[in-house]
């Protein structure tokens, strides 16, 4: 699959990345190359192989449902850019 | 043109775990903002989510209750989008391999018909935080206490054909999740939220119309109104020759309308991929079997049993099994009081519920527990007191700690069933009312109730009404 400039711009927007206009074509070429490389896999018959969600064969360990956490709000909010009355403040979100 | 409505629901049930789905923070509602948001919930660098076992168990219980497939190998995925109350920039959810697969939910409609609604899937995911748009100058406040609260998103097939059917289905799921104790069902606090996918199509058309998704509905009443509004809106557009736009719409209860939520329109590319921080979840058969063994009797089965075993009417059985606390209370009262199920049912659904409603109390908060309530019903059952006196005693029990027997003894409320005692009271009343007696005997039979009232008054409400009626009629005949 070839990636065109429009796809690059869309992906950048979704990822909130700011890229300069003159680098778009370059990204398009590089991303197309990556996809072409991966596309070689299409040649292999994988019909009998179960899709993998994780590179190891381990399964998820579970934890007991226990509250084991003290309130560290003060420490966390010390490193936040802006807080008020216990809330983290962000630029106004318009619904 | 005749239109057919097509509705599918996505229900988010907040799982009643103590800690969050991927962290050990508390899920308690109503805490100080951000006091229950730890490094994992805040999406700090270097943290790893560890899955809560109880959340997995609750999802399996839901699958067992709806006879749904259980995903013995399920996978968590990242759903990517940017919003301030989602600190990681993605929500951990499930996409291609959910923990609960297809199932069927029988839903009883108003006319008694049973509608089978298909479940598409149910998956585990984390909730986001809460944004507060008021109260701050040129800023939005973010509270992340809710971030990471476990949710089970229950997705139905587009099987409902009216707002009423959708509400009946939602109520059914609501009853079920509370019965199996995986969700408290509190809609005001957002523990149980419904999103409705609504579309219309000409009757007879196979292909589905373009749907809109209605969000922000926090009561069953609003769900019905929001769907009805949306159906009207779509039909108006189509009949005017327009086309329905696929979009998310917000229900505004104050204006009773839905409106477009433009901010979400562009962001529909969530780029799901398996979360590398979480391994696949493997569910063994032994676990499923042990959870199956721990399942309570489900509401449908219990309702049927109440009808066959206790000979309750369909209606009464429905009321007594509307939630698990009521059904448990009812069975405990029958057991402890020895009263007939019919009597226990009428005292619970009548006197007990009306007092609870008046004070907006849940059954679990009733000042009169099963022990004391059974004591009262037992005395009505064995004719120690009349129903009328029973109500007075219940009032006293409500505001005090005495049991029924103590109140009966202290206040001398025992019902008088001894016929000679009642007879002598009747004789006195008749002797004191010669004019009324003459009128009665000359055909004015309505005066019977006057005499009943007089004797009852003389007994201070304690005469056994059945006995009184019988004896009085004999005496009046002369």
């Amino acid at each position: 699959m070839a990636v065109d400039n429009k796809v690059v711009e869309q992906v950048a927007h979704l990822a909130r990345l700011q890229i300069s206009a003159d680098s778009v074509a370059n990204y398009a070429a590089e991303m197309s190359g990556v996809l072409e490389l991966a596309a070689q896999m299409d040649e292999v018959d994988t019909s009998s192989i179960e899709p993998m969600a994780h590179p190891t064969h381990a399964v998820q360990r579970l934890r007991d449902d226990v509250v084991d956490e003290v309130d560290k709000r003060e420490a966390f909010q010390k490193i936040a850019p802006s807080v008020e009355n216990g809330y983290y403040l962000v630029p106004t979100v318009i619904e | 043109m005749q239109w057919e409505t097509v509705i599918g629901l996505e229900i988010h049930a907040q799982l009643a775990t103590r800690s969050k789905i991927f962290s050990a923070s508390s899920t308690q509602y109503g805490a100080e903002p951000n006091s229950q948001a730890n490094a994992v919930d805040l999406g700090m660098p270097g943290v790893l989510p560890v899955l809560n076992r109880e959340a997995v168990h609750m999802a399996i219980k839901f699958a067992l209750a709806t006879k749904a497939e259980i995903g013995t190998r399920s996978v968590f995925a990242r759903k990517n989008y940017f919003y301030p109350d989602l600190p990681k920039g993605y929500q951990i959810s499930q996409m291609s391999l959910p923990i609960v697969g297809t199932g069927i939910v029988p839903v009883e409609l108003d006319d008694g018909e049973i509608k089978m609604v298909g479940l598409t899937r149910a998956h585990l995911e984390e909730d986001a935080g809460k944004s507060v748009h008021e109260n701050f100058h040129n800023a939005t406040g973010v509270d992340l206490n809710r971030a990471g609260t476990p949710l089970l998103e229950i997705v139905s097939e587009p099987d409902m054909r009216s707002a009423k059917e959708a509400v009946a289905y939602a109520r059914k799921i609501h009853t079920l999740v509370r019965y199996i104790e995986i969700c408290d069902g509190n809609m005001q606090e957002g523990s149980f939220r419904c999103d409705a996918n609504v579309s219309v199509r000409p009757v007879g058309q196979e292909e589905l119309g373009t749907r809109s998704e209605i969000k922000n509905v926090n009561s069953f009443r609003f769900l019905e109104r929001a769907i009805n509004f949306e159906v009207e809106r779509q039909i108006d557009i189509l009949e005017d020759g327009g086309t329905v736009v696929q979009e998310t719409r917000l229900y505004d209860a104050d204006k009773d309308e839905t409106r477009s939520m433009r901010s979400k329109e562009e962001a529909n590319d969530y780029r799901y991929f398996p979360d590398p921080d979480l391994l696949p979840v493997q569910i063994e058969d032994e676990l499923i079997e042990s959870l199956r063994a721990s399942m309570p009797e489900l509401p449908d089965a219990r309702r049927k049993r109440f009808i066959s075993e206790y000979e309750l009417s369909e209606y009464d059985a429905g009321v007594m099994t509307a939630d698990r606390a009521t059904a448990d209370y009812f069975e405990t009262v029958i057991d402890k009081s020895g009263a007939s199920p019919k009597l226990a049912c009428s005292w619970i659904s009548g006197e007990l519920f009306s007092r609870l409603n008046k004070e907006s109390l849940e059954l679990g908060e009733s000042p009169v527990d099963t022990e004391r309530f059974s004591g009262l019903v037992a005395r009505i059952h064995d004719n120690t007191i009349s129903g009328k006196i029973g109500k007075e005693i219940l009032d006293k029990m409500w505001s005090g700690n005495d049991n029924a027997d103590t109140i009966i003894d202290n206040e001398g409320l025992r019902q008088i069933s001894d016929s000679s005692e009642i007879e002598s009271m009747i004789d006195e009343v008749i002797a004191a009312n010669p004019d009324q007696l003459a009128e009665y005997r000359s055909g004015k039979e309505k005066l019977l109730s006057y005499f009943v009232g007089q004797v009852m008054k003389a007994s201070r409400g304690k005469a056994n009404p059945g006995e009184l009626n019988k004896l009085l009629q004999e005496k009046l005949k002369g």
Side-chain angles (χ1 to χ4, degrees):
Chain A
M1 177 191 159
V3 174
D4 59 21
N5 290 1
K6 224 178 134 195
V7 172
V8 172
E9 277 158 11
Q10 197 208 344
V11 170
H13 171 69
L14 286 170
R16 301 295 188 272
L17 292 174
Q18 197 170 30
I19 53 175
S20 61
D22 53 8
S23 61
V24 172
N26 200 25
Y27 279 119
E30 285 184 2
M31 286 165 72
S32 296
V34 171
L35 291 182
E36 273 161 34
L37 183 72
Q40 291 176 25
M41 285 297 289
D42 291 347
E43 318 257 311
V44 186
D45 177 13
T46 55
S47 56
S48 62
I49 296 171
E50 201 181 323
M52 191 169 66
H54 206 275
T56 70
H57 285 285
V59 296
Q60 179 63 36
R61 200 169 59 85
L62 305 176
R63 44 164 261 281
D64 289 338
D65 181 25
V66 175
V67 176
D68 181 17
E69 198 63 54
V70 287
D71 177 11
K72 294 187 194 128
R73 182 174 80 180
E74 212 179 309
F76 289 131
Q77 299 210 325
K78 249 184 210 155
I79 55 168
S82 179
V83 295
E84 191 180 318
N85 294 332
Y87 288 87
Y88 294 95
L89 293 191
V90 298
T92 309
V93 180
I94 298 155
E95 268 297 319
Chain B
M1 191 181 297
Q2 287 287 97
W3 298 93
E4 181 179 52
T5 304
V6 178
I7 305 158
L9 292 187
E10 289 170 20
I11 293 173
H12 287 86
Q14 196 177 96
L15 297 176
T17 56
R18 282 187 283 270
S19 65
K20 293 188 177 175
I21 183 167
F22 298 119
S23 89
S25 299
S26 171
T27 54
Q28 190 80 45
Y29 180 84
E32 278 288 297
N34 293 305
S35 62
Q36 293 175 171
N38 72 3
V40 175
D41 312 323
L42 294 177
M44 288 294 185
V47 298
L48 272 182
V50 187
L51 182 58
N52 185 333
R53 173 177 291 113
E54 196 56 32
V56 172
H57 289 191
M58 287 175 169
I60 297 171
K61 284 183 187 171
F62 179 77
L64 291 169
T66 51
K67 297 187 173 65
E69 282 174 50
I70 295 168
T72 48
R73 181 174 173 275
S74 75
V75 169
F76 283 95
R78 293 184 178 181
K79 176 179 179 177
N80 299 280
Y81 66 94
F82 286 106
Y83 204 76
D85 57 23
L86 188 78
K88 298 192 296 299
Y90 59 87
Q91 177 193 29
I92 304 178
S93 181
Q94 298 194 296
M95 185 56 183
S96 53
L97 291 169
I99 190 160
V100 180
T102 57
I104 292 274
V105 180
V107 177
E108 187 156 334
L109 305 178
D110 282 346
D111 59 7
E113 191 203 329
I114 305 286
K115 166 119 193 168
M116 302 305 258
V117 175
L119 279 184
T120 313
R121 58 187 276 150
H123 60 258
L124 285 170
E125 63 183 26
E126 58 178 345
D127 207 345
K130 216 177 245 170
S131 300
V132 178
H133 302 289
E134 310 85 36
N135 309 343
F136 302 100
H137 276 293
N138 298 320
T140 294
V142 179
D143 175 10
L144 295 169
N145 281 350
R146 202 180 62 184
T149 299
L151 300 176
L152 187 67
E153 178 173 338
I154 302 160
V155 183
S156 84
E157 290 289 305
D159 283 347
M160 278 80 64
R161 293 290 172 269
S162 69
K164 277 203 170 2
E165 286 186 14
V167 170
Y169 162 80
R171 281 186 186 280
K172 180 72 188 256
I173 297 289
H174 189 246
T175 303
L176 206 56
V177 294
R178 285 181 304 143
Y179 242 84
I180 60 176
E181 294 176 332
I182 65 169
C183 172
D184 69 18
N186 189 325
M187 296 180 85
Q188 271 76 47
E189 293 177 5
S191 308
F192 189 90
R193 318 197 278 268
C194 302
D195 298 341
N197 289 312
V198 179
S199 65
V200 297
R201 63 182 171 191
V203 169
Q205 179 182 306
E206 190 72 26
E207 195 191 339
L208 292 172
T210 305
R211 66 186 160 84
S212 58
E213 182 179 2
I214 312 171
K215 285 189 182 289
N216 200 32
V217 187
N218 65 1
S219 79
F220 294 122
R221 195 161 55 95
F222 291 160
L223 178 63
E224 184 168 345
R225 281 161 54 173
I227 292 172
N228 283 332
F229 174 87
E230 186 57 20
V231 168
E232 287 298 312
R233 190 187 71 87
Q234 292 186 11
I235 291 175
D236 283 351
I237 290 173
L238 294 171
E239 292 193 336
D240 285 350
T243 47
V244 174
V245 181
Q246 182 167 340
E247 63 180 351
T248 302
R249 297 180 70 84
L250 218 58
Y251 178 66
D252 182 333
D254 294 333
K255 294 183 183 150
D256 189 20
E257 63 176 30
T258 66
R259 59 167 186 271
S260 186
M261 219 174 131
R262 294 182 194 286
S263 61
K264 292 241 168 168
E265 258 173 48
E266 56 166 4
N268 263 337
D269 187 350
Y270 293 125
R271 295 150 293 142
Y272 282 93
F273 64 88
D275 190 328
D277 287 346
L278 287 153
L279 293 159
V281 180
Q282 189 92 37
I283 295 167
E284 307 293 342
D285 287 349
E286 296 93 81
L287 174 63
I288 297 174
E289 288 320 308
S290 79
L291 289 170
R292 193 193 304 278
S294 77
M295 293 286 283
E297 185 182 19
L298 295 175
D300 282 349
R302 207 166 187 183
R303 197 179 70 235
K304 280 181 197 140
R305 181 167 64 78
F306 280 14
I307 294 168
S308 62
E309 186 178 332
Y310 300 134
E311 296 175 339
L312 292 189
S313 67
E314 284 269 355
Y315 177 81
D316 283 347
V319 174
M320 287 298 106
T321 54
D323 56 65
R324 191 164 161 193
T326 304
D328 288 346
Y329 198 100
F330 170 68
E331 291 208 278
T332 309
V333 169
I334 298 175
D335 195 42
K336 286 192 173 162
S337 68
S340 73
K342 184 77 209 164
L343 182 72
C345 170
S346 81
W347 275 79
I348 291 170
S349 63
E351 298 306 318
L352 181 63
F353 281 3
S354 70
R355 282 169 178 74
L356 291 173
N357 284 343
K358 212 183 288 170
E359 298 181 23
S360 303
L361 294 174
E362 296 288 322
L363 185 53
E365 304 165 316
S366 169
V368 178
D369 62 10
T370 50
E371 188 72 43
R372 291 206 296 153
F373 197 77
S374 302
L376 171 68
V377 175
R379 293 294 84 83
I380 299 159
H381 175 70
D382 66 15
N383 280 325
T384 304
I385 52 170
S386 66
K388 187 168 170 292
I389 296 279
K391 289 174 197 174
E392 290 169 23
I393 293 175
L394 183 55
D395 285 333
K396 293 193 169 102
M397 289 166 75
W398 205 261
S399 52
N401 295 317
D402 287 338
N403 61 31
D405 281 337
T406 311
I407 297 170
I408 293 167
D409 287 342
N410 287 352
E411 312 200 3
L413 297 173
R414 210 163 282 276
Q415 179 160 269
I416 303 164
S417 297
D418 177 56
S419 51
S420 62
E421 210 175 320
I422 296 175
E423 269 179 65
S424 72
M425 287 189 279
I426 292 173
D427 290 340
E428 279 173 36
V429 168
I430 288 179
N433 293 281
D435 296 347
Q436 285 82 354
L437 179 67
E439 280 183 54
Y440 179 86
R441 288 193 174 154
S442 66
K444 205 169 171 191
E445 292 194 0
K446 271 195 211 157
L447 279 170
L448 175 64
S449 59
Y450 169 77
F451 283 103
V452 170
Q454 292 300 306
V455 180
M456 204 39 114
K457 204 169 145 196
S459 78
R460 290 190 295 137
K462 291 185 291 180
N464 177 322
E467 196 70 13
L468 163 62
N469 250 303
K470 197 184 83 188
L471 294 171
L472 183 63
Q473 289 194 42
E474 283 167 15
K475 293 260 182 191
L476 286 173
K477 270 185 224 152

